[in-house]
């Protein structure tokens, strides 16, 4: 049976539709922009394609594309929340039109843009890909586990208090025959929303192909790295507090934050051996990962954390919270250490343990890259096919 897949942008590097295209089971792919479609020629978006997905199978959503243009203009001058609800609703309308025209297609739709098609006249299976925890689960988690929640008035997540987004999520879950997600943390939210345990498959994201072995840090100084949004949900404030008290000698911490909560920036002011910088281009980020001993991702809420796989492929060790994809990656403890989300002391302990085991010769580098090979995107794609019953081994 062929599937209709819908997702915005090049989320997850198109791995979900590619998984089905590889075996001839991708019927239609709905997205906002796909390079190679007639009239799609923007030079800055030539990366929006996948070799396994022919342009003829793609249906583009003009509404989803246009809804993102104001955001793209605004984010260049000030921190701006992505208009997820608006964009995904437009994408969902397009997906629903395609499903009505081809009602025998099975549906494998990303959360946020699945409701219209799921509630339509399609005769196919309804599979939800929950790529990110739901608004209600985000709000509940942030309220319950962050020991620094009241330290400062942190930026509020756009999903928090958004009744319409939560209602859409509940409707998608109620209409789904099955759901797929990338982490056990996201699965917990789906179970709380009412899905039965045997109706949820966890398929951890893969890693890119390991890069060539990188250079050591300058002078053998240990380098820790954080990559992500500098907001409460990502746990950067927890990391800064832990860094203040962790006994890690002359080790350094570099924070690459695409946007930064002013309260977190103020919290970090004057902290020794801590550098905060903005967005990094791909080549620069690769160099930072090559030089880093460990990536730290202490997220309170995380669908998985694709940066974990990227850093592992560059030879980094990983420290990440229970609410990320690290618990599902199966790494040995000296390469991947899981810490309790929302707590400072466990992160202090992990930083100090990695400092004590630091080897300037980077003897862990080769093993980390071998683990990245094991956790490949090809394995993820096979996992997607197994989850929808298209592959049995």
């Amino acid at each position: 049976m062929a599937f209709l897949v819908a997702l915005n942008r090049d989320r997850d590097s198109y791995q979900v539709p590619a998984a089905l295209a590889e075996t001839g089971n991708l019927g239609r792919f709905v997205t906002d922009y796909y390079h190679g479609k007639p009239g799609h020629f923007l030079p800055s978006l030539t990366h929006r394609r996948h070799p396994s997905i022919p342009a003829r199978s793609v249906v583009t959503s003009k509404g989803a594309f246009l809804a993102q243009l104001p955001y793209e203009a605004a984010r260049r001058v000030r921190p701006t929340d992505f208009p997820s609800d608006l964009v995904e609703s437009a994408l969902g309308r397009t997906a629903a039109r395609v499903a009505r025209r081809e009602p025998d297609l099975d549906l494998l739709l990303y959360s946020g843009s699945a409701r219209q098609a799921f509630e339509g006249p399609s005769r196919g299976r309804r599979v939800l890909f929950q790529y990110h925890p739901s608004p209600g689960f985000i709000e509940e988690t942030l309220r319950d586990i962050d020991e620094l929640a009241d330290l400062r008035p942190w930026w509020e997540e756009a999903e928090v208090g958004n009744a319409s987004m939560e209602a859409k999520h509940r409707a998608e879950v109620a209409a789904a025959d099955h759901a797929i997600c990338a982490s056990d943390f996201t699965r917990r939210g789906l179970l709380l929303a009412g899905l039965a345990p045997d109706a949820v498959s966890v398929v951890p994201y893969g890693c890119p192909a390991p890069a060539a072995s990188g250079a050591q840090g300058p002078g053998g100084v240990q380098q820790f790295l954080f990559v992500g949004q500098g907001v409460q949900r990502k746990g950067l404030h927890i990391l800064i507090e832990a860094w203040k008290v962790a006994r890690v000698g002359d080790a350094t911490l570099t924070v690459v934050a695409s946007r930064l909560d002013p309260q977190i920036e103020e919290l970090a002011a004057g902290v020794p051996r801590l550098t905060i910088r903005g967005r990094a281009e791909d080549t620069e980020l690769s160099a930072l990962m090559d030089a880093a001993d460990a990536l730290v991702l202490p997220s309170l809420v995380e669908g998985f954390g694709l940066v974990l796989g990227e850093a592992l492929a560059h030879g980094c060790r990983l420290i990440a919270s229970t609410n990320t994809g690290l618990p599902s990656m199966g790494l040995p403890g000296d390469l991947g250490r899981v810490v309790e989300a929302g707590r400072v002391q466990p992160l202090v302990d992990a930083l100090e343990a990695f400092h004590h085991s630091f080897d300037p010769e980077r003897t862990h580098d080769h093993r980390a890259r071998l683990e990245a090979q094991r956790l490949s995107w090809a394995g993820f794609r096979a996992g997607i096919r197994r989850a929808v019953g298209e592959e049995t081994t």
Side-chain angles (χ1 to χ4, degrees), residues 181-206:
C181 58
S183 71
D184 289 315
F185 174 66
T186 306
R187 179 178 184 270
R188 278 165 38 202
L190 288 167
L191 298 183
L192 287 172
L195 276 173
D198 61 358
V200 184
S201 298
V202 177
V203 184
Y205 284 135

Side-chain angles (χ1 to χ4, degrees), residues 64-305:
F65 181 74
L66 293 175
Q68 296 171 76
L69 295 182
Y71 162 80
E72 290 295 335
R75 76 178 180 88
R76 286 165 171 75
V77 295
R78 65 180 184 278
T80 304
D81 285 326
F82 186 78
S84 298
D85 197 18
L86 184 64
V87 172
E88 290 169 346
S89 294
L91 189 73
R93 288 192 292 273
T94 304
R97 286 196 297 272
V98 175
R100 284 194 297 271
R101 289 198 302 265
E102 303 182 62
D104 289 326
L105 289 174
D106 285 334
L107 308 178
L108 175 48
L109 307 179
Y110 271 52
S111 53
S113 55
R115 179 176 182 174
Q116 294 102 312
F118 277 5
E119 294 179 345
S122 173
R123 293 187 287 269
R125 288 176 288 168
R126 290 162 167 78
V127 182
L128 178 69
F129 191 90
Q130 188 74 32
Y131 71 90
H132 191 58
S134 69
F137 191 44
I138 292 173
E139 184 172 4
E140 177 184 328
T141 302
L142 293 178
R143 181 179 63 246
D144 291 346
I145 70 168
D146 185 358
E147 68 176 1
L148 301 181
D150 298 326
L151 183 64
R152 288 170 180 263
W154 313 115
W155 267 351
E156 192 170 79
E157 289 291 314
E159 297 97 334
V160 170
N162 192 318
S164 66
M165 289 183 70
E166 179 62 15
K168 182 194 295 184
H169 167 70
R170 295 281 175 170
E172 289 177 342
V173 168
D177 302 314
H178 196 86
I180 304 171
C181 58
S183 71
D184 289 315
F185 174 66
T186 306
R187 179 178 184 270
R188 278 165 38 202
L190 288 167
L191 298 183
L192 287 172
L195 276 173
D198 61 358
V200 184
S201 298
V202 177
V203 184
Y205 284 135
C207 300
S213 185
Q216 297 178 25
V221 174
Q222 185 179 26
Q223 299 181 47
F224 290 92
L225 178 66
F226 169 96
V227 179
Q229 296 185 55
V231 295
Q232 181 193 16
R233 179 174 65 83
K234 292 286 186 176
L236 180 54
H237 59 309
I238 302 288
L239 175 55
I240 291 169
E241 285 296 307
W243 187 257
K244 289 178 181 179
V245 299
R247 294 169 293 183
V248 292
D250 59 355
T252 65
L253 170 62
T254 299
V255 171
V256 179
S258 55
R259 65 187 186 114
L260 185 61
D261 183 336
Q263 293 293 334
I264 292 180
E265 184 175 21
E266 185 177 311
L267 185 69
V271 175
R273 306 179 318 284
L274 168 60
T275 301
I276 296 184
R277 49 156 302 156
R279 188 186 304 270
E281 298 299 325
D282 290 344
T283 54
E284 188 175 5
L285 186 56
S286 291
L288 288 168
M289 288 183 176
D290 281 337
D293 173 55
L295 177 96
V296 189
L297 189 67
S299 301
L300 281 67
V301 173
E302 192 75 62
F304 184 87

Side-chain angles (χ1 to χ4, degrees), residues 1-7 14-31 34 50-59 102 105-109 384-385 388 390:
M1 176 64 73
F3 280 83
L4 163 63
V5 179
L7 56 92
Y14 298 127
Q15 295 293 322
V16 170
L20 300 169
E22 286 176 341
T23 54
N25 291 311
L26 180 65
R28 291 285 181 267
F29 174 38
V30 176
T31 191
Y34 194 77
H50 190 281
S52 297
I53 304 173
R56 66 179 179 275
S57 70
V58 178
V59 178
E102 303 182 62
L105 289 174
D106 285 334
L107 308 178
L108 175 48
L109 307 179
I384 291 295
R385 291 190 291 268
V388 297
E390 296 296 331

